[in-house]
Amino acid sequence: MKHLTLLTGASRGMGLSMARQLLSAGHTVLCISRTSVPELDAHARHVGATVLQWAHDLADSGSLNGKLEGWLKDSQAEAPWASATLINNAGVIPQIAPLSEIAADDLARALRVGLEAPMQVTAAFLRATEGWKAPRKVLNISSGLGRKAMASQAAYCAAKAGMDHFTRSLALDEALKPQGAKVCSLAPGVIDTGMQEQLRAAPAEAFPDKASFVGLKTGGSLTSPDDAAARIIAFLARPDFGANPVADVRD
């Protein structure tokens, strides 16, 4: 049985942890990130899995569509997959400041990577796999900030809120199809990643909630990337995955 997982933002943090944990015998993981990680190639060989690493900047997600659709169709023609899963994990935080102070290019990049790319990649994935008999899943990694506004985080909050709502709409689309994909936008909890470091390092005058994020670190309230990845993968395997299109891993 061959299982396929597509994962964006797999080169560091929780994404890298997910990639490692998804690589097991009989599994193929296609990682889409700005950079490749040699460690994943070595790990895949060790466990008897297959990893493919595509270096692509998701700020230009539209140019990826044709390549992704073609690869999916060709791979299915060679030998049908037992399952196919897309995990949209990539995201960026622009300059931590009020919206009026963020450079236009920085703002555009945050929205392209955080919202446009998940929609573009999901559309390409669903188009290419529409006729597959194998079960298909789409997991969008969201955030509590998509459900609770925060000062100096307008772009990130907007991208994650948009991700939640496009997932709700997508779930309605797929429910009308005979073999529609199961979809969910999942908040993974607070995780000790580079994004947390960015928030803790922001100037206090630009980020009113800085002290809260420093407190999460000093109080030991952050989940490790490995533990967070394990909880997400376990959630993905739940028999009721997709029953609630917007969820929290802590539910």
Side-chain angles (χ1 to χ4, degrees):
M1 301 285 283
K2 296 197 313 172
H3 298 273
L4 172 66
T5 302
L6 283 65
L7 173 63
T8 69
S11 61
R12 59 181 180 173
M14 188 179 70
L16 179 56
S17 292
M18 280 195 286
R20 285 198 209 97
Q21 294 180 36
L22 287 164
L23 286 168
S24 59
H27 287 246
T28 293
V29 180
L30 170 56
C31 300
I32 304 172
S33 307
R34 280 185 295 171
T35 58
S36 299
V37 183
E39 164 196 342
L40 286 178
D41 295 322
H43 181 67
R45 288 192 296 270
H46 177 71
V47 299
T50 300
V51 66
L52 303 170
Q53 300 192 65
W54 289 3
H56 190 93
D57 187 346
L58 287 169
D60 180 22
S61 56
S63 67
L64 178 67
N65 291 349
K67 178 181 178 181
L68 181 59
E69 289 184 53
W71 184 87
L72 284 166
K73 291 174 181 177
D74 289 346
S75 69
Q76 177 74 349
E78 292 176 8
W81 297 103
S83 69
T85 300
L86 167 63
I87 304 176
N88 284 306
N89 170 67
V92 296
I93 294 180
Q95 177 189 354
I96 300 168
L99 181 64
S100 59
E101 298 177 17
I102 300 175
D105 288 350
D106 200 17
L107 177 60
R109 178 175 178 78
L111 293 174
R112 285 175 184 146
V113 175
L115 182 55
E116 181 182 336
M119 296 184 76
Q120 291 272 21
V121 174
T122 298
F125 173 77
L126 292 175
R127 278 195 298 268
T129 63
E130 186 76 49
W132 293 13
K133 295 181 180 180
R136 297 170 299 143
K137 296 179 181 179
V138 176
L139 174 61
N140 292 323
I141 302 300
S142 185
S143 169
L145 292 187
R147 301 158 201 184
K148 177 183 177 182
M150 182 170 286
S152 297
Q153 287 292 292
Y156 189 78
C157 287
K160 293 304 185 183
M163 174 179 275
D164 285 350
H165 213 46
F166 107 69
T167 305
R168 291 185 181 99
S169 182
L170 177 61
L172 296 175
D173 290 342
E174 293 300 302
L176 297 174
K177 300 176 182 179
Q179 293 179 304
K182 303 297 183 182
V183 302
C184 181
S185 185
L186 183 69
V190 286
I191 305 159
D192 198 1
T193 63
M195 286 188 178
Q196 286 282 331
E197 292 177 9
Q198 282 181 262
L199 295 168
R200 293 194 300 271
E205 63 272 17
F207 186 35
D209 290 281
K210 174 177 179 172
S212 298
F213 285 87
V214 172
L216 289 172
K217 178 67 172 180
T218 58
S221 299
L222 297 177
T223 305
S224 73
D226 285 346
D227 287 347
R231 293 171 70 180
I232 290 169
I233 292 170
F235 190 96
L236 188 61
R238 283 171 47 162
D240 64 343
F241 177 86
N244 185 355
V246 175
D248 191 301
V249 77
R250 295 162 292 192
D251 293 341

